[in-house]
Amino acid sequence: MIRFLLKGILRDRGRSLFPLLVVTAGVFLTVAFYGYILGMMNNMIRSNANLRHGHVKVMTRAYAQDIAQVPNELALTGVAALSDELRTSYPDLDWVARIPFGGLLDVPDDEGETRIQAPVAGLAVDLRTSGGPEPGLLGLAKILVRGRMPRVPGELLMSDELARKLGLDIGGKATLITTTMAGSLAMANFTVAGTIRFGIRAMDRTGLIADLADLRRALDMDDAAGEVLGLFKDGIYRSDQAAAVLRSFEGRYAGRQGEFLPAMQTLAEQPGMDIIIGRMRYATSAIVFIFLLAMSLVMWNAGLVGTLRRYGEFGLRLAIGEAKGHVYRTMLAESLLIGVLGSTAGTVLGLSLSWYLQVHGIDVSSIMKNITFLMDTVLHSKITPLSFVIGFIPGLLASLIGTAIAGRTIYKRQTARLFKELES
Amino acid sequence: MIRFALLIGAIAAFAAAASAQVPTADAILDRVDRNAVPGSKILVSEMTIHGRRESRTVKSKSWIEGEDKAFTEYLDPPRERGIKMLKLGDRLWTYSPDTDRAIAISGHMLRQSVMGSDLSYEDMMADHKLREAYDARVAGEETLGDRPCWVLELTSRSGEIAYPSRKTWVDKGRFIVIKEERYAKSGRLLKTLEVRSVEFVQNRWLPKEVLFRDVLKEGQGTEFRILSIEFDAPISDALFSKASLRK
């Protein structure tokens, strides 16, 4: 029976091609869209992780409690030994030390007197170690607007907007006024090596990126850092693995007292990120649900239309003696087969595209030339176990339900009117 | 005998009445100001800052002329050595030898901590006479240690002042502030001051060791000690110029 129906579907393309194409297209779009949305979400998480939070972050217990204030007086010490220990214990992650800092930038005039001042918020990262991961993590080469990367001590990158506001060109000099780890006044001269566009409003107003060694010297933070970030080497945040690293790390210090002992937080635990991730998941689910609903309606409609188009065929089959129940059941079986074929084809195509985008991504940097964001300009999809069924089940059910509803007309069909219809 | 008893009674009543007479708050503040704000002084002092992580001591030398002019050079520790500050009226500059720049400290920077201590630049700048800046009333009397004190409540006369209200304990005999609580406009306690020891120098009482505490910070406060002081010393006017910062 199934073989007979399958032959009918394959040979009589007039009646099966349209429903098959609709189901295939609908399932393909659903799977591909779902993968893309997940990929976008991952991209945003990746940008936040790379810029500020890491997948896990190590700081002192006291710093963690006051993290919004960026309290460098509570920073980690003995960072080289701690980083070595982290690299040995958790080799799946890259570990980088950073110093977020705030202060005032003072730009002198020709006589060395203050010409203009502005509040700044900066990030000190290892910019000058050859082959170091930081420039890549922050995507600095892509967001460089003018100038070049810092090469020698005392050079920094500055937000292009801030540089223009302060009237600073490449090679311009300014003095950073901030506080040392001990809370003393710190003043350090810097030269602008390049300007960047973060794409984040607050950072474009006040942002600086300086070399870690320069800031350590200026803030009297030898072998110290505000934060040590851990990032999974493949760049993908996995909450369960991050939580496992956290449990293992915290276990080492359990029961020990001291506000300057290291403490760890996962990305999702950090202030703001818990809300962002929650909202992103909610928004993603809502978007996927709405899209799925729309695609289900389209496929359902295809089932309805496909069945109604065959009104004459039902009459003929009934006229030659086929039972109404048999016609209805064969219609459902046919629809199920179309659903299986279409959903399989759609899922395979959708997964193929998602896989390609997951592995290779699409480089959209050419479209984003004028809008440079501090995020990966290569967009990636993401395949999860749900990707395999998210399109398949609606594809199967929607066309089946559409056929089941439309097929009820078989029971209202009167063979007495068939010849009249055929004559007309 | 009766006459004698009446005379003794009258004398005792007069003495009691005289001792119960409370000077006005303004009169007390006048005496405090006269004691605290001399013509000029040169002092060497040190601050021991008890932070959350460690304690450290910063030594400096200051030249002060009246209320408006002050020049400070940090002598120790090595990281701080050579940093200078100049106050001229309501303006403040700081110079660091590392950058060879003299930078004006203004706006919110004035509220920043000086060298990580519990004192802000605003605290350093505030050398005004209490009598002129505040309306005061005598709130009572207390004995701190073995020193009887007037307790004054001060309310600022203008809005542009770091501490809109203060509660001040003034030593009755020496007319120096030996304890103080400084409040925000909201009534929140911001800082406390506690004089640990005093010294009589050149005919005036001087708080020699003071503990400042910024109650919004965690830590054990900042101990300020005067190591040496010279009143009414001649100070060259050239010192109070921006050019002297670079010398």
Side-chain angles (χ1 to χ4, degrees):
Chain A
M1 173 71 175
I2 289 174
R3 202 172 162 190
F4 171 76
L5 291 173
L6 196 58
K7 274 185 183 172
I9 288 168
L10 295 175
R11 290 177 184 172
D12 185 2
R13 286 180 192 161
R15 69 177 187 185
S16 60
L17 190 63
F18 173 68
L20 192 68
L21 284 178
V22 170
V23 173
T24 304
V27 172
F28 163 72
L29 286 174
T30 304
V31 173
F33 183 69
Y34 175 71
Y36 181 73
I37 287 281
L38 279 188
M40 284 270 286
M41 198 173 107
N42 264 16
N43 203 11
M44 288 178 73
I45 290 175
R46 192 200 316 258
S47 298
N48 274 291
N50 290 353
L51 174 63
R52 195 69 191 84
H53 300 291
H55 293 145
V56 291
K57 183 191 281 185
V58 180
M59 57 217 132
T60 65
R61 290 174 181 174
Y63 187 102
Q65 282 182 344
D66 235 352
I67 191 167
Q69 307 298 320
V70 196
N72 279 327
E73 67 273 21
L74 308 177
L76 287 163
T77 51
V79 167
L82 176 68
S83 299
D84 286 345
E85 184 191 326
L86 288 166
R87 282 185 196 110
T88 308
S89 304
Y90 310 106
D92 294 343
L93 292 99
D94 282 325
W95 296 95
V96 291
R98 290 186 179 172
I99 302 175
F101 62 94
L104 202 63
L105 200 68
D106 184 286
V107 183
D109 59 17
D110 294 338
E111 274 78 47
E113 300 293 327
T114 297
R115 177 169 61 78
I116 188 169
Q117 289 182 338
V120 289
L123 189 61
V125 303
D126 182 6
L127 291 175
R128 294 203 304 266
T129 297
S130 176
E134 289 285 32
L137 285 173
L138 296 172
L140 294 178
K142 293 175 190 167
I143 59 170
L144 193 68
V145 178
R146 291 183 285 155
R148 55 166 175 79
M149 296 290 290
R151 286 183 200 143
V152 295
E155 289 186 334
L156 55 66
L157 295 172
M158 177 184 286
S159 144
D160 195 58
E161 185 182 324
L162 179 65
R164 288 179 195 281
K165 192 176 105 184
L166 296 175
L168 274 169
D169 288 322
I170 304 303
K173 300 206 183 310
T175 304
L176 175 70
I177 307 165
T178 180
T179 50
T180 66
M181 192 171 166
S184 292
L185 182 80
M187 288 166 64
N189 288 339
F190 283 97
T191 304
V192 180
T195 66
I196 48 181
R197 191 173 295 135
F198 292 94
I200 301 166
R201 191 165 162 67
M203 296 193 70
D204 275 322
R205 281 206 307 260
T206 60
L208 299 178
I209 292 185
D211 183 65
L212 189 67
D214 289 343
L215 253 289
R216 277 182 164 160
R217 194 162 40 249
L219 306 190
D220 204 12
M221 289 180 73
D222 187 33
D223 198 22
E227 304 166 353
V228 176
L229 270 53
L231 294 127
F232 288 109
K233 287 184 190 290
D234 59 5
I236 296 170
Y237 176 64
R238 286 178 289 275
S239 54
D240 48 346
Q241 283 185 35
V245 171
L246 172 81
R247 279 194 301 276
S248 157
F249 184 80
E250 293 283 307
R252 299 174 181 205
Y253 299 96
R256 288 172 61 183
Q257 299 294 315
E259 61 178 351
F260 294 107
L261 284 175
M264 186 181 274
Q265 283 182 351
T266 64
L267 174 74
E269 287 175 329
Q270 292 177 45
M273 281 311 290
D274 47 350
I275 299 168
I276 290 173
I277 289 177
R279 282 185 185 163
M280 277 168 68
R281 286 197 173 132
Y282 175 76
T284 307
S285 304
I287 291 167
V288 169
F289 176 75
I290 291 166
F291 185 75
L292 206 57
L293 193 69
M295 290 316 300
S296 297
L297 286 173
V298 169
M299 289 184 279
W300 180 35
N301 194 41
L304 281 170
V305 172
T307 308
L308 292 174
R309 278 176 62 229
R310 296 165 65 185
Y311 195 64
E313 179 198 328
F314 300 153
L316 194 62
R317 286 168 67 178
L318 293 175
I320 59 175
E322 195 173 344
K324 285 182 176 174
H326 187 261
V327 176
Y328 187 64
R329 282 195 298 279
T330 55
M331 289 298 297
L332 287 181
E334 233 179 85
S335 165
L336 196 64
L337 279 173
I338 288 173
V340 169
L341 291 173
S343 296
T344 306
T347 302
V348 168
L349 289 173
L351 287 174
S352 303
L353 181 63
S354 297
W355 177 81
Y356 179 83
L357 292 180
Q358 182 172 291
V359 174
H360 301 288
I362 302 177
D363 189 352
V364 292
S365 54
S366 57
I367 343 172
M368 296 171 82
K369 241 186 314 196
N370 298 322
I371 319 160
T372 334
F373 294 97
L374 193 60
M375 62 180 283
D376 197 351
T377 49
V378 179
L379 298 181
H380 291 269
S381 282
K382 192 187 178 196
I383 296 174
T384 67
L386 190 59
S387 307
F388 290 83
V389 290
I390 195 157
F392 195 91
I393 292 173
L396 199 68
L397 292 181
S399 60
L400 187 68
I401 293 168
T403 306
I405 292 169
R408 287 181 310 163
T409 54
I410 294 166
Y411 291 96
K412 295 173 188 165
R413 195 78 171 93
Q414 292 172 340
T415 45
R417 295 181 59 192
L418 174 67
F419 291 103
K420 201 176 270 183
E421 285 169 14
L422 290 173
E423 281 168 10
S424 63
Chain B
M1 187 64 190
I2 292 170
R3 280 185 182 177
F4 181 73
L6 284 173
L7 182 63
I8 294 296
I11 291 169
F14 181 76
S19 68
Q21 193 178 2
V22 177
T24 64
D26 284 349
I28 296 170
L29 285 188
D30 262 337
R31 293 285 302 271
V32 171
D33 285 338
R34 280 210 300 275
N35 197 47
V37 188
S40 68
K41 56 189 170 191
I42 299 172
L43 69 104
V44 178
S45 62
E46 64 181 22
M47 286 193 299
T48 301
I49 302 152
H50 300 288
R52 285 173 75 172
R53 198 188 287 268
E54 60 182 10
S55 294
R56 62 200 183 91
T57 299
V58 179
K59 189 175 175 185
S60 64
K61 184 172 185 179
S62 299
W63 293 259
I64 300 164
E65 183 77 59
E67 296 171 50
D68 291 332
K69 294 177 184 174
F71 184 93
T72 299
E73 180 173 1
Y74 288 88
L75 309 172
D76 209 49
R79 188 185 161 84
E80 259 71 62
R81 192 175 297 147
I83 292 177
K84 294 170 190 167
M85 285 183 192
L86 171 68
K87 175 195 164 184
L88 289 176
D90 60 356
R91 304 195 67 191
L92 182 71
W93 290 267
T94 183
Y95 169 82
S96 90
D98 289 346
T99 59
D100 192 28
R101 291 215 42 211
I103 287 174
I105 303 285
S106 59
H108 76 280
M109 280 284 288
L110 289 168
R111 297 202 178 97
Q112 297 289 311
S113 151
V114 177
M115 301 290 164
S117 71
D118 291 59
L119 285 156
S120 68
Y121 292 101
E122 243 170 5
D123 293 331
M124 284 187 64
M125 296 277 286
D127 217 3
H128 47 62
K129 289 180 173 156
L130 292 172
R131 169 80 172 81
E132 290 169 6
Y134 290 93
D135 286 323
R137 74 174 192 90
V138 179
E141 299 171 38
E142 275 180 34
T143 301
L144 295 180
D146 60 346
R147 302 299 305 172
C149 298
W150 303 114
V151 183
L152 304 185
E153 286 180 353
L154 278 58
T155 310
S156 70
R157 291 183 173 174
S158 76
E160 295 170 5
I161 197 156
Y163 306 104
S165 63
R166 299 181 184 211
K167 190 174 181 183
T168 302
W169 284 255
V170 178
D171 187 305
K172 280 184 177 181
R174 295 166 178 167
F175 285 95
I176 57 170
V177 173
I178 58 172
K179 184 181 169 186
E180 192 165 66
E181 292 171 354
R182 299 174 178 180
Y183 295 88
K185 198 174 180 181
S186 64
R188 185 176 188 184
L189 179 62
L190 298 175
K191 286 191 182 161
T192 63
L193 169 160
E194 193 185 320
V195 174
R196 295 272 177 86
S197 70
V198 296
E199 195 175 36
F200 194 67
V201 182
Q202 289 179 266
N203 291 322
R204 71 183 81 228
W205 284 100
L206 182 75
K208 195 165 185 248
E209 283 186 44
V210 184
L211 176 71
F212 289 94
R213 280 204 68 184
D214 180 340
V215 296
L216 304 182
K217 276 171 71 170
E218 289 188 49
Q220 300 304 309
T222 297
E223 289 172 53
F224 180 84
R225 273 181 299 280
I226 294 175
L227 302 177
S228 69
I229 188 161
E230 189 183 347
F231 289 112
D232 301 322
I235 303 172
S236 163
D237 224 29
L239 187 68
F240 302 111
S241 68
K242 283 178 70 180
S244 67
L245 287 169
R246 284 198 167 88
K247 284 176 185 167

